[in-house]
């Protein structure tokens, strides 16, 4: 769904050539709702900026009237990031940043990535995305009741240990991750002796806004990572999009970070593997790794590295994931100590889960 006929055609051609059948098109949000109702697609791609009814309002209506996994197509800008996060709040599963702006051939350079992302979003559970789930959690917190969740199953080990002094936390996520990360970090107490890193697969123009979003939502201080930055107790750094992030030293309860603008053969930047491997080499204090919802296998090598270094590893369970790719691949390594519902992960980190 895009107001530009050129972009609709380009995206349709890319998807069709990648084996994804395109069953309908629309020029604005209002028309998109009608088309979805008529053809009942497996997945919707939705431009953020459209006339008549923009993508944000269209997603809100779509989730209320005919819930369908939706991928937002966003301009690769800071302004685009603001609007895209609003669409994720409304219930969109994930987003794809269009290089070169709203109307550009740049998207054709990322054909394989676009097709893979559409396929992953098509399999997403829309009940796990967006505002509805966060509203339930907020309502439960206000009433003093814990959010409902299924019983967790252990994949070996337990989560009954409390957070020790100078604990380093590394969280990795991809598709469905912005909402999942926010729910985890907003549930962490501000006085916990934790410092750490969030590695979310996200373009460079978006990670600064994501850090601000997390900072507003939680008791910890959250900033986008900068080269040479040092973080201590109660601080989290969000890996900069388009770059890898390494922990280069861990002394006196503080971590020093290095932002790396080079390819490391991981297929994604930032990569959870890169950050976790660096932590395994330099962090002697207690270390906790968490793998949340996401497409692909990033993090599976990293959890093995930190597990060998003595870390405790948690992963999100299948039932609460938007896309059960990264946690599944991590669990298959045997390095994950516990598989937990999303709303139990913060308690698993702090050791408060019974």
């Amino acid at each position: 769904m895009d107001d530009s006929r050129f972009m609709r055609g380009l995206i349709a051609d890319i998807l069709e050539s990648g084996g994804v059948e395109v069953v309908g098109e629309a020029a604005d949000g209002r028309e998109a709702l009608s088309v979805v109702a008529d053809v009942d697609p497996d997945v919707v791609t939705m431009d953020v900026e459209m006339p008549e009814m923009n993508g944000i309002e269209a997603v809100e209506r779509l989730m209320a009237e005919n819930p369908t996994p939706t991928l937002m197509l966003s301009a690769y800008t800071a302004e685009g990031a603001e609007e895209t996060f609003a669409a994720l709040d409304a219930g969109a599963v994930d987003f794809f940043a269009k290089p070169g702006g709203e109307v550009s051939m740049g998207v054709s350079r990322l054909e394989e990535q676009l097709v893979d992302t559409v396929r992953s979003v098509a399999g997403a559970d829309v009940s796990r995305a967006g505002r509805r789930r966060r509203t339930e959690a907020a309502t439960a917190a206000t009433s003093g009741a814990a959010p409902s969740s299924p019983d967790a199953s252990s994949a070996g080990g337990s989560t009954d240990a409390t957070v020790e002094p100078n604990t380093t936390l590394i969280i990795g996520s991809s598709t469905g991750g912005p909402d999942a990360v926010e729910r985890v970090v907003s549930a962490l107490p501000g006085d916990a002796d934790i410092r750490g890193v969030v590695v979310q697969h996200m373009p460079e123009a978006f990670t600064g806004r994501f850090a601000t979003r997390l900072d507003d939502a939680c008791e910890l201080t959250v900033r986008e990572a900068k080269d040479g930055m040092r973080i201590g107790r109660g601080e989290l750094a969000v890996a900069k999009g388009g770059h890898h992030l390494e922990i280069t030293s861990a002394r006196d309860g503080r971590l020093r970070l290095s932002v790396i603008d080079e390819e490391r053969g991981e297929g994604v930047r930032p990569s959870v593997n890169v950050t976790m491997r660096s932590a395994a080499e330099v962090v002697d204090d207690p270390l906790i790794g968490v793998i949340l919802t996401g497409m692909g296998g990033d993090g599976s090598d990293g959890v093995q590295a930190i597990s060998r270094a003595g870390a405790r590893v948690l992963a999100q369970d299948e039932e609460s994931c938007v896309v059960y790719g990264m946690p599944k691949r991590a669990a298959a390594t045997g390095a994950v100590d516990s598989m937990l519902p999303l709303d139990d992960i913060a308690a698993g980190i702090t050791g408060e889960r019974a």
Side-chain angles (χ1 to χ4, degrees):
M1 313 302 177
D2 196 300
D3 61 309
S4 164
R5 179 173 297 182
F6 168 77
M7 287 302 296
R8 290 200 307 272
L10 176 61
I11 291 167
D13 287 346
I14 289 172
L15 295 178
E16 293 275 10
S17 66
V20 176
E21 182 184 4
V22 178
V23 296
E25 298 180 10
D28 60 62
R30 198 175 305 281
E31 184 181 356
L33 296 176
S34 176
V35 171
V36 171
D38 287 342
V39 303
D40 190 27
D42 296 317
V43 60
V44 173
T45 64
M46 184 86 71
D47 193 34
V48 174
E49 289 292 338
M50 294 187 294
E52 299 294 330
M53 179 188 293
N54 66 28
I56 299 168
E57 184 180 352
V59 170
E60 290 177 337
R61 288 274 302 274
L62 182 63
M63 294 305 153
E65 299 170 10
N66 194 5
T68 306
T70 300
L71 175 71
M72 302 307 297
L73 302 180
S74 171
Y76 197 105
T77 63
E79 293 78 10
E82 192 74 32
E83 295 165 337
T84 300
F85 281 119
L88 295 176
D89 283 346
V93 173
D94 203 355
F95 68 91
F96 185 88
K98 297 185 291 187
E102 288 292 337
V103 180
S104 170
M105 285 291 293
V107 70
S108 63
R109 299 195 304 270
L110 303 174
E111 292 185 19
E112 184 176 351
Q113 182 182 340
L114 176 58
V115 171
D116 287 347
T117 305
V118 167
R119 290 187 181 279
S120 72
V121 169
D125 179 354
V126 291
S127 72
R128 303 293 173 189
R131 176 174 297 162
R132 190 180 72 81
R133 291 280 296 173
R134 264 203 304 281
T135 301
E136 288 176 355
T139 301
T142 302
S143 65
S148 60
S149 59
D151 291 336
S153 59
S154 176
S158 65
T159 59
D160 57 1
T162 56
V163 168
E164 300 178 62
N166 300 333
T167 295
T168 296
L169 173 66
I170 302 173
I171 299 175
S173 57
S174 184
T175 309
D179 178 63
V181 171
E182 182 177 336
R183 285 167 60 183
V184 170
V185 302
S186 64
L188 294 174
D191 59 355
D193 196 356
I194 293 173
R195 79 279 306 119
V197 172
V198 173
V199 182
Q200 165 69 43
H201 297 167
M202 189 175 283
E204 182 175 351
F206 288 69
T207 45
R209 180 63 187 87
F210 184 47
T212 300
R213 176 187 178 92
L214 295 180
D215 187 63
D216 291 341
C218 73
E219 296 180 17
L220 306 174
T221 298
V222 187
R223 295 171 289 166
E224 184 181 41
K226 297 187 183 304
D227 191 46
M229 175 189 287
R230 297 188 66 187
I231 58 173
R233 175 175 179 163
E235 296 180 318
L236 296 176
V238 172
K240 187 179 183 67
H243 300 70
H244 291 305
L245 182 65
E246 288 190 335
I247 300 173
T248 56
S249 69
R251 291 195 300 270
D252 303 322
R254 294 174 68 82
L255 308 176
R256 183 176 290 278
L257 308 178
S258 177
V259 176
I260 302 165
D261 186 14
E262 65 182 38
E263 184 55 64
R264 292 291 181 90
E266 296 292 342
V268 291
R269 282 196 279 176
S271 166
V272 187
N273 285 331
V274 170
T275 302
M276 286 189 169
R277 285 195 293 258
S278 71
E281 293 178 0
V282 303
V283 176
D284 294 324
D285 295 323
L287 180 60
I288 299 174
V290 177
I291 300 295
L292 299 178
T293 175
M295 174 178 67
D298 187 30
S300 58
D301 290 341
V303 296
Q304 294 178 78
I306 62 173
S307 180
R308 289 192 295 267
R312 185 155 54 94
V313 181
L314 311 177
Q316 187 176 350
D317 71 358
E318 182 174 6
E319 186 168 352
S320 66
C321 277
V322 171
V323 177
Y324 186 55
M326 287 170 58
K328 180 180 181 179
R329 294 278 291 275
T333 69
V336 175
D337 295 299
S338 293
M339 304 294 294
L340 299 173
L342 179 60
D343 291 326
D344 284 355
I345 288 178
I349 292 169
T350 61
E352 295 173 359
R353 181 174 168 271

